[in-house]
Each structure stands twice: as structure tokens, then as C-alpha cells.
């Protein structure tokens, strides 16, 4: 189980570069505080695009903007609106999620050449490791990177004095430091409390509802344990938007909003605890800065999406090949994973081939469940 500790001071950053994605984790001792998954093909918050103005959004002071994604982004602005087809520099506030396009803001300081045609990425998103390094400075004692190329890149980005070190590709960096367990823990809607109760976290498109169950313990103890845990989980899972907490009626209930505000004080993402609703739920908001962990990794069924599985399989396959020195690699996977590796994840597959300095032949196995894969020599 992931340790829950309040008042943690970040001291370590772990970074794992694998085919198609970079995963970064901020931790304090054994406690995972923040988890960031960045896939190469995805739109990221804070990225700056040269977009093309589209039609007005019906009934709202906003316009659609084409930045090259499947769904146009939405740019809220006051009239007069730019002409349709005009170029406009925008920064991504919230990336696409579910069936919603990006939430965009005007970027007034962007400069671009007249030869650049919209839509076009003008500036990549801010590096999360750079953000953490700037925020916590000398408190960060270790930045452990996988691969060597990623360590070299970050050493250049962060500058002299950054405590960057390299982990071997053959190491399972995240598993050895308990991070894989922390990710799995933070994808589970049911979170156990130390005293035996539990917290249930369920998110919809409109609201995240959190329920506290006391189990065999008294309601007061369960509520206090839950409030401390919820503050941690909101940050670790990057849950944002409108949130309501159904606390257990009982003694000491009136102090819980204040306790929650104090517990969330270390979270750098702005939040506001509004207090109790008329029906007795704690209501709060947390600013949306990107996708939640579940939005990034899970599909509509609540299990890992096919893309997440494909990237995990490539990550594990590269490690297996490097460790065992397999030649003439054949990767056997389930049919839907096979399709995504040859489709959306084909650049990641190409990167995996470069990492092992060998070809990877794919084989679709109809008898394999989605998560199963095998690496063998031809």
C-alpha cells in the first residue's frame, strides 16, 4: 500500500523515457506526490499553437480554433471576434478529453514567421521536471533518469548543479521504487483507510464524487483519515474541476472543511474549499491543469486503454530484449494491441526498434487476452 504522509517535502524526481512516452514522478521519501504521463502524440497543457479561427461557439462568447486535433479547441474571448480563417496564437489550458476539444487561451507574446501556416505547434509544453526543479530547488536531492539520453537532455535543460543520474535501461526503475504500485493504487476507485474504512472516488464528465465509509471504526476517525488521504489523492491523481465529498455525520464534522484546506495547502494547483452544501457534502474546486491519471491511462471500461497497453508492452519488451540479448525479435500480442502498434503507436514501435538496435516483428495472437504479450527470437 502507498504510504500516506502529510506535510511531505519533495526530494526526488524519477523520469522514465520509453518508446512513445515520458513518465515523470515527484516524490518525498517513499511517498509519491505527483505522476505525469506525457505521450509524444498527445496535446499537452501549456503548449503554444498557431491556430486557425473557426466559427463562433453557439450561445457563448467563444470561437472554435483548429490546432490540428480531431476536435477543434474552444477559445473564450470577448467580441469583436477575429475573422474565420485568421491565424491566432493560443496556449493550451486543458488538453482534449473524452469528446471535448482543448480549452485555449490567447497567447499575446507569440511570434511567428509569415511562412508558417496554421495549424502549427509553435512551442512545446513546459517540461514537468523543469517546473518541479524551479519550484522546489535545493530540496530536490536526486533526479534519476532512464535512459542515458533522457539524463543528458535534462542535465542540459536544468543546468549545472542539477543532481541528474542515469538508471540502466535493463532496470525496472518504477517498479523498484514502488512507483508502479503507486500508479495502480491511484487508478483504483476504492482507497482503504488505516483504521479499516475506505474512500470511494468516482469521476464523471461533470463532477467527482467522493464517498467515505467508516467500516468498523468510529465516524470521526474515518472522516479525519479520509480528509488527509483525499488531499493526497487529488494531487496524485490530478483530479480537478467540481468535487463533492460525502462525509459521515458525526462529532467533529464542522472542522473538516478547514482540515481539508490545510491538508491541500502543499498542493501547487489552485483549489478552493467552499464548505458544506445544503445537503451536507463538502464542496470544492481544483483547477484543471491537464488530464487526470485515469483520463490519461484508462479506457471507457475502466481498465487500461489499448494505447496504454501498447505502450506498456513496448516498455516491458525493450527491457526484456536488453536484459536477455534476444536477437531477431518477435513480439506476440493480442489483435487489438497489434492494430494500435501498427497504427497510432507506429512511431513508438519505431523508437523501440532504435533502442534495441534490431527489428521487432509483430505477431497477432487471437488466443491472447489484451494484456498478454510474449517476446521471443524468430
Amino acid at each position: 500500500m502507498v504510504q500516506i504522509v502529510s506535510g511531505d517535502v519533495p526530494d526526488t524526481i524519477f523520469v522514465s523515457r520509453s518508446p512513445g512516452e515520458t513518465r515523470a514522478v515527484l516524490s518525498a521519501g517513499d511517498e509519491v506526490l505527483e505522476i505525469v504521463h506525457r505521450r509524444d502524440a498527445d496535446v499537452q497543457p501549456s503548449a503554444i499553437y498557431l491556430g486557425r479561427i473557426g466559427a463562433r461557439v453557439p450561445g457563448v462568447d467563444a470561437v472554435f480554433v483548429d490546432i490540428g486535433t480531431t476536435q477543434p479547441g474552444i477559445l473564450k474571448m470577448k467580441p469583436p471576434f477575429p475573422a474565420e480563417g485568421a491565424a491566432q496564437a493560443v496556449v493550451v489550458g486543458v488538453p482534449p478529453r473524452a469528446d471535448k476539444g482543448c480549452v485555449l487561451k490567447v497567447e499575446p507574446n507569440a511570434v511567428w514567421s509569415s511562412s508558417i501556416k496554421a495549424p502549427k505547434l509553435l512551442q512545446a509544453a513546459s517540461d514537468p521536471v523543469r517546473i518541479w526543479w524551479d519550484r522546489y530547488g535545493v530540496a530536490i536531492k536526486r533526479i534519476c533518469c532512464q535512459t542515458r539520453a533522457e539524463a543528458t537532455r535534462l542535465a542540459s535543460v536544468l543546468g549545472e548543479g542539477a543532481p541528474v543520474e542515469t538508471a540502466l535501461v535493463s532496470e525496472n526503475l518504477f517498479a523498484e521504487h514502488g512507483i508502479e504500485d503507486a500508479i495502480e493504487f491511484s487508478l483504483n476507485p476504492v482507497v482503504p483507510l488505516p483504521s479499516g474504512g475506505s474512500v470511494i472516488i468516482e469521476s464523471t464528465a461533470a463532477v467527482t464524487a467522493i464517498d467515505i465509509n467508516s467500516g468498523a471504526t468510529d465516524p470521526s476517525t474515518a472522516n479525519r483519515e479520509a480528509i488527509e488521504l483525499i488531499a493526497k489523492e487529488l494531487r496524485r491523481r490530478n483530479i480537478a474541476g467540481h468535487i463533492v465529498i460525502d462525509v459521515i455525520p458525526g462529532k467533529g464534522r464542522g472542522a473538516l472543511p478547514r482540515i481539508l484546506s490545510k491538508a491541500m495547502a502543499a498542493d501547487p494547483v489552485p483549489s478552493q474549499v467552499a464548505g458544506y452544501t445544503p445537503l451536507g457534502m463538502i464542496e470544492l474546486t481544483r483547477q484543471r491543469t491537464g488530464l487526470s491519471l485515469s483520463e490519461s491511462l484508462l479506457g471507457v471500461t475502466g481498465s487500461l486503454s489499448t494505447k496504454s497497453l501498447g505502450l506498456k508492452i513496448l516498455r516491458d519488451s525493450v527491457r526484456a530484449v536488453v536484459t536477455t540479448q534476444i536477437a531477431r525479435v518477435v513480439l506476440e500480442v493480442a489483435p487489438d494491441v497489434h492494430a494500435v502498434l501498427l497504427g497510432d503507436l507506429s512511431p513508438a514501435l519505431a523508437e523501440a526498434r532504435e533502442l534495441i538496435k534490431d527489428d521487432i516483428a509483430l505477431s497477432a495472437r487471437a488466443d491472447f487476452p489484451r494484456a498478454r504479450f510474449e517476446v521471443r527470437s524468430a
Side-chain angles (χ1 to χ4, degrees):
M1 180 186 298
V2 177
Q3 183 183 5
I4 303 298
V5 183
S6 60
D8 302 289
V9 177
D11 56 17
T12 307
I13 297 171
F14 295 98
V15 184
S16 175
R17 174 64 200 180
S18 55
E21 69 176 353
T22 302
R23 303 185 297 164
V25 167
L26 178 71
S27 67
D30 294 331
E31 170 72 1
V32 172
L33 303 179
E34 297 182 34
I35 304 167
V36 177
H37 278 245
R38 289 208 165 175
R39 294 175 179 170
D40 297 352
D42 290 351
V43 175
Q44 301 296 342
S46 78
I48 298 174
Y49 287 83
L50 182 63
R52 184 183 295 112
I53 298 293
R56 280 195 61 182
V57 179
V60 182
D61 281 347
V63 292
F64 292 111
V65 180
D66 176 16
I67 62 168
T69 52
T70 303
Q71 295 278 349
I74 295 178
L75 174 63
K76 291 185 178 180
M77 61 189 314
K78 295 180 179 179
F81 302 108
E84 285 192 42
Q88 174 67 57
V90 292
V91 59
V92 177
V94 182
R97 58 192 187 98
D99 294 328
K100 297 181 179 181
C102 296
V103 176
L104 305 170
K105 301 176 183 177
V106 171
E107 176 46 65
N109 299 319
V111 178
W112 65 92
S113 166
S114 59
S115 63
I116 297 177
K117 303 300 181 185
K120 180 73 173 180
L121 177 66
L122 295 178
Q123 182 177 308
S126 303
D127 191 310
V129 178
R130 169 89 257 181
I131 293 171
W132 292 334
W133 178 247
D134 289 343
R135 181 178 294 149
Y136 300 110
V138 295
I140 303 296
K141 306 301 183 185
R142 184 184 182 204
I143 303 173
C144 188
C145 302
Q146 194 178 51
T147 59
R148 184 178 300 278
E150 183 64 14
T152 300
R153 184 191 72 82
L154 280 175
S156 175
V157 168
L158 303 181
E160 187 177 351
V164 178
E165 60 185 66
T166 304
L168 298 175
V169 175
S170 58
E171 294 180 38
N172 194 336
L173 180 66
F174 276 24
E176 290 174 5
H177 291 277
I179 297 169
E180 297 290 6
D181 289 339
I183 293 172
E184 184 177 353
F185 181 91
S186 291
L187 290 174
N188 193 331
V190 181
V191 187
L193 295 174
S195 62
S198 63
V199 168
I200 301 174
I201 303 172
E202 295 182 315
S203 294
T204 69
V207 67
T208 295
I210 303 177
D211 186 44
I212 303 172
N213 297 316
S214 62
T217 192
D218 66 278
S220 177
T221 299
N223 279 336
R224 285 180 174 268
E225 288 181 349
I227 289 299
E228 294 287 343
L229 181 145
I230 287 166
K232 289 286 185 181
E233 288 302 311
L234 292 178
R235 183 179 181 184
R236 183 159 41 222
R237 298 175 187 228
N238 199 27
I239 294 173
H242 188 197
I243 303 162
V244 292
I245 304 171
D246 189 8
V247 300
I248 307 166
K251 187 177 179 181
R253 183 173 172 274
L256 294 179
R258 176 179 52 81
I259 295 171
L260 178 60
S261 294
K262 185 177 179 180
M264 295 182 70
D267 186 347
V269 175
S271 61
Q272 181 178 3
V273 179
Y276 282 105
T277 69
L279 295 178
M281 294 187 180
I282 296 177
E283 184 176 22
L284 67 146
T285 59
R286 185 173 183 270
Q287 183 175 312
R288 197 176 298 281
T289 58
L291 299 183
S292 69
L293 193 63
S294 61
E295 287 173 323
S296 295
L297 300 183
L298 302 183
V300 294
T301 63
S303 58
L304 287 179
S305 68
T306 306
K307 280 188 180 181
S308 295
L309 277 175
L311 291 168
K312 180 181 185 302
I313 286 170
L314 285 180
R315 185 165 66 240
D316 293 345
S317 298
V318 167
R319 187 181 306 112
V321 171
V322 170
T323 302
T324 61
Q325 296 297 304
I326 298 172
R328 300 180 62 198
V329 180
V330 176
L331 176 58
E332 298 180 326
V333 293
D336 58 343
V337 175
H338 183 271
V340 79
L341 287 174
L342 290 178
D344 291 346
L345 296 184
S346 57
L349 178 60
E351 184 180 348
R353 288 167 171 153
E354 290 178 9
L355 282 171
I356 66 169
K357 298 178 173 57
D358 199 351
D359 188 28
I360 299 176
L362 293 181
S363 175
R365 289 285 300 271
D367 58 324
F368 275 22
R370 292 178 69 244
R372 180 179 172 183
F373 72 97
E374 291 187 8
V375 181
R376 61 177 176 83
S377 183

